[in-house]
Amino acid sequence: MPVIEVTDLRKSYGGRPVVDGVSFAVEEGEIFGVLGPNGAGKTTTVECVEGLRVPDSGRVRVTGLDPVADHEQVARVLGAQLQLSELQAKLTVREALELYAAFYPRPADWRPLAERLGLAPHLDSRFGKLSGGQKQRLSIALALIGDPRIVVLDELTTGLDPRARRDTWELIEDIRANGVTVLLVTHFMEEAQRLCDRIAVIDKGRVAALDTPAGLIRRSAGATVISFTPSAPLDDRDLNGLPALVSIEHRDGRVTLSGTDETVNAVITLLARTHVTAHQLRVTDATLDDAFLDLTEENGGAGPTGATERANTTDRPDTTEEVPA
Ligand SMILES: Nc1ncnc2c1ncn2[C@@H]1O[C@H](COP(=O)(O)OP(=O)(O)OP(=O)(O)O)[C@@H](O)[C@H]1O
């Protein structure tokens, strides 16, 4: 049975719909991602799940409870990440943990929690003196202190350096390994791809797609990208005739094609037939970035032109770029 159910959720501000019929269900034990461009309605959606906003219409249930009508009971099963600005700079880590534990009838023991989150050496440090990563870990600890079944993490790793971000990912996996369901709002494709079992891509207040990361990538128009530098020019007619081809790009003597495995096999056959050698041949899968751009309208939507530009980006090293607004 799903632990979170959102059905046809709608919310407008000043007559402008920002959540426009969103539906999804999160199963127990999942890391479920909510991904989308700026202003897509992600935070509004999860705040309705947390009971912090009242929907205009639609139905939200958290373990069968209504987050608005049954707010207190929902607060016991659902841990929300604290806005870090709400913590006083002079409060120590220990004081913050003790204070927040006191809000719950059956809190988790904060000591092992602090240990697990690497906060044990910093118990006497004041909040204002913590690094960005330590602050984030404290905010996760405070979200978990009520011993919730579900935790909502919104833009958890924004502003963290790559190492702190990776450490935080391990923590999130660790939280799930302890049986907690995670609802994760993120901008970072790599984060969503690495962590989430399923992702709802939200665009302009609607669910543009809901699938596993691999499923979203498969939907992307050019799911496989092959690039090489040919030893002699290839005939454009041959390239354009390749099966399942989505895009072709020529740059600095290098050819980059996106399509499917069928395209890749046909290119290899073409190279053999024309006795052309492919130098620095690379075959890569499209990334969630590519799928995201295909699925969200503001970035140009699906189509060969968009895919052509992106074909190049798959060769990039392991980056954690934010989605352009
Ligand atoms: N209280 C409010 N009053 C009026 N407009 C609001 C309010 N809260 C949010 N909005 C607007 O609703 C839209 C959706 O906001 P929301 O924060 O849900 O999006 P988001 O997908 O989380 O965006 P981001 O990734 O930028 O945080 C935005 O245009 C935002 O400016």
Side-chain angles (χ1 to χ4, degrees), residues 10 44 71 81 91 120 128 141 161 165 172 240-241 298 310 325:
R10 288 171 200 274
T44 306
H71 190 68
Q81 193 195 347
L91 211 60
D161 66 37
R165 181 173 296 139
I172 295 171
N240 282 315
E298 74 174 48
R310 298 193 301 277

Side-chain angles (χ1 to χ4, degrees), residues 73-316:
Q73 287 152 280
V74 168
R76 275 180 221 147
V77 289
L78 184 140
Q81 193 195 347
L82 186 86
Q83 293 296 315
L84 289 171
S85 54
E86 286 171 24
L87 272 186
Q88 283 185 8
K90 288 196 171 166
L91 211 60
T92 65
V93 169
R94 184 197 312 278
E95 286 164 348
L97 291 165
E98 282 175 345
L99 178 67
Y100 280 79
F103 293 158
Y104 294 93
R106 274 184 299 279
D109 182 352
W110 61 259
R111 289 164 195 84
L113 193 58
E115 192 75 49
R116 204 169 102 213
L117 288 163
L119 290 168
H122 309 289
L123 289 177
D124 296 316
S125 306
R126 297 196 188 282
F127 176 70
K129 301 276 182 204
L130 298 178
S131 72
Q134 289 161 350
K135 283 180 179 166
Q136 291 293 27
R137 279 184 271 148
L138 179 59
S139 86
I140 299 175
L142 298 179
L144 292 172
I145 209 151
D147 203 13
R149 284 174 63 188
I150 306 160
V151 70
V152 179
L153 304 173
D154 192 345
E155 300 292 345
L156 186 66
T157 62
T158 301
L160 296 186
D161 66 37
R163 171 154 303 281
R165 181 173 296 139
R166 272 159 208 279
D167 289 348
T168 309
W169 293 349
E170 281 176 20
L171 284 176
I172 295 171
E173 283 168 340
D174 189 31
I175 291 167
R176 189 259 291 278
N178 278 279
V180 179
T181 306
V182 180
L183 182 61
L184 181 77
V185 179
T186 183
H187 266 130
F188 293 112
M189 298 298 143
E190 194 195 359
E191 178 165 300
Q193 194 164 350
R194 149 98 190 254
L195 287 178
C196 297
D197 299 304
R198 291 187 306 143
I199 296 169
V201 178
I202 308 233
D203 189 30
K204 296 189 168 64
R206 294 165 184 262
V207 178
L210 198 167
D211 209 332
T212 59
L216 291 174
I217 291 166
R218 273 198 301 274
R219 288 177 195 215
S220 163
T224 309
V225 178
I226 180 166
S227 60
F228 53 91
T229 305
S231 57
L234 289 162
D235 189 328
D236 261 353
R237 276 170 306 183
D238 285 340
L239 290 176
N240 282 315
L242 291 168
L245 180 73
V246 173
S247 70
I248 304 182
E249 188 190 68
H250 296 273
R251 189 177 291 174
D252 302 331
R254 202 157 170 78
V255 180
T256 303
L257 307 163
S258 73
T260 64
D261 289 350
E262 200 188 346
T263 321
V264 173
N265 284 324
V267 173
I268 290 165
T269 308
L270 172 67
L271 290 166
R273 180 164 55 79
T274 52
H275 305 290
V276 173
T277 308
H279 296 291
Q280 291 183 302
L281 178 80
R282 302 277 183 277
V283 180
T284 52
D285 287 335
T287 63
L288 195 55
D289 261 317
D290 300 291
F292 181 85
L293 291 167
D294 270 347
L295 289 164
T296 56
E297 270 180 47
E298 74 174 48
N299 296 293
T305 318
T308 303
E309 299 222 318
R310 298 193 301 277
N312 246 5
T313 65
T314 50
D315 269 349
R316 270 190 322 220

